Amino acid sequence: MDENDFLAERFETHRRQLRAVAYRMLGSLSEADDAVQEAWLRLSRTDSERVENLGGWLTTVVGRVCLDMLRSRRSRREEPMDVHLPEPIVSGAGTVDPEHQALLADSVGLALLVVLETLAPAERLAFVLHDMFAVPFDEIAPIVGRTPTATRQLASRARHRVQGSATVPDADLERQREVVDAFLTASRGGDFEALVAVLDPAVVVRSDGGALRPGSVVRGAAAVAGQAITYARFAEVARPALVNGAAGVVEVAGGRTLAVLAFTVTDGRIAEINILTDPERLDRLDLTVLDA
């Protein structure tokens, strides 16, 4: 085995962790893979023998790459999008795909990623690296160009935002599925009262159709129930799935994926529904797991 092969082998032992870091930072599997590939390119151009802690070095490199990507993403948007949902991770209805296990550790549901999308890039980096991957502030500070104390404050602000906004789902997956199935049944039947009963009074529904379709946010059980009845035809083509490890559905008709719906069930009621209908991002999803 030559030196390059040995280095590649060492890199592969860290790939899963690096992809998990990048997904939390970017909310996109395709962009996460790009960030990990960039980390490999930088490693291949570095004297690796001088790197004492390869895992830590690679984590900070991925963090720096992701920070640059987030800043570039923001600068390209002349106006903030009303709704921008992360790219979901879809698995079969039974169990999470082994490839997705590391990505979904720490209960990285879509509801949490939606909150992370609202953070400033430096806040997101500090929170993700420190709170999710235990990277010391001394190592994060040079990436964001702040002192360790200022970096700690970034993470603290992000933490308060997450704790105050992220909806925590019920742990019982079977119970989640029962609630989602009840919602779909009521939607198909046009049963307004049954829909309201299964929805949290303060339920929020976000829909992201991409650059060419305006996003929307609907709040409140009555408004969401009315919308669900209006779009009952989509419930007819809903296939059960796990979306970021929680009960969800994928709507497929005529061989085309129409939408991915992620449900957050809290205290036995639906508190959030995040709906991705952006055709460009739907086309990038690997939905072969639904046929397994």
Side-chain angles (χ1 to χ4, degrees):
M1 179 181 295
D2 63 27
E3 183 178 344
N4 192 61
D5 288 340
F6 177 66
L7 186 61
E9 188 174 274
R10 291 180 66 199
F11 178 82
E12 287 302 318
T13 65
H14 298 284
R15 180 183 290 277
R16 184 169 291 185
Q17 163 108 347
L18 298 175
R19 198 167 181 241
V21 171
Y23 179 64
R24 287 157 177 74
M25 281 292 300
L26 300 168
S28 164
L29 287 174
S30 56
E31 290 184 351
D33 287 336
D34 289 342
V36 172
Q37 180 62 21
E38 177 61 24
W40 160 248
L41 293 175
R42 294 189 185 188
L43 176 62
S44 64
R45 297 193 294 262
T46 300
D47 182 1
S48 59
E49 292 184 0
R50 300 176 62 182
V51 178
E52 295 183 7
N53 178 359
L54 183 61
W57 187 89
L58 286 169
T59 297
T60 57
V61 168
V62 165
R64 193 181 301 276
V65 171
C66 290
L67 183 62
D68 290 343
M69 292 172 74
L70 285 176
R71 287 171 172 166
S72 176
R73 181 193 291 176
R74 284 204 166 196
S75 68
R76 289 196 305 269
R77 295 177 187 165
E78 295 181 4
E79 297 180 4
M81 296 176 66
D82 290 336
V83 180
H84 177 75
L85 295 180
E87 186 178 305
I89 296 175
V90 180
S91 303
T95 58
V96 176
D97 187 286
E99 279 294 311
H100 296 159
Q101 289 288 359
L103 294 172
L104 297 176
D106 305 319
S107 301
V108 184
L110 215 64
L112 173 58
L113 289 172
V114 167
V115 178
L116 293 183
E117 289 283 326
T118 68
L119 301 178
E123 290 178 342
R124 186 168 185 170
L125 176 80
F127 176 78
V128 168
L129 290 189
H130 181 267
D131 285 45
M132 293 185 168
F133 294 95
V135 178
F137 288 121
D138 287 350
E139 296 178 21
I140 302 172
I143 304 175
V144 295
R146 310 282 182 97
T147 65
T149 299
T151 304
R152 183 187 298 274
Q153 292 171 345
L154 284 176
S156 178
R157 286 201 299 270
R159 192 178 307 117
H160 286 307
R161 180 86 63 84
V162 170
Q163 291 174 347
S165 304
T167 305
V168 180
D170 291 345
D172 188 338
L173 186 57
E174 184 175 342
R175 178 58 181 152
Q176 288 182 34
R177 176 56 59 191
E178 290 174 357
V179 172
V180 171
D181 287 346
F183 172 84
L184 294 173
T185 298
S187 179
R188 294 184 189 109
D191 191 335
F192 182 84
E193 296 300 326
L195 281 166
V196 170
V198 81
L199 295 170
D200 184 277
V203 63
V204 178
V205 175
R206 304 179 189 88
S207 179
D208 179 0
L212 300 180
R213 302 179 186 178
S216 65
V217 179
V218 180
R219 302 178 186 274
V224 171
Q227 185 185 65
I229 290 174
T230 301
Y231 293 101
R233 66 184 185 279
F234 289 114
E236 297 290 347
V237 293
R239 300 177 61 180
L242 292 180
V243 181
N244 284 65
V249 298
V250 177
E251 295 173 347
V252 181
R256 284 186 56 241
T257 302
L258 305 177
V260 174
L261 286 77
F263 293 81
T264 302
V265 177
T266 303
D267 296 330
R269 290 185 173 186
I270 296 171
E272 288 189 25
I273 309 175
N274 290 298
I275 308 171
L276 181 66
T277 59
D278 179 357
E280 182 178 342
R281 278 184 286 161
L282 290 175
D283 285 345
R284 290 202 298 260
L285 298 180
D286 178 12
L287 299 180
T288 57
V289 292
L290 299 180
D291 299 322

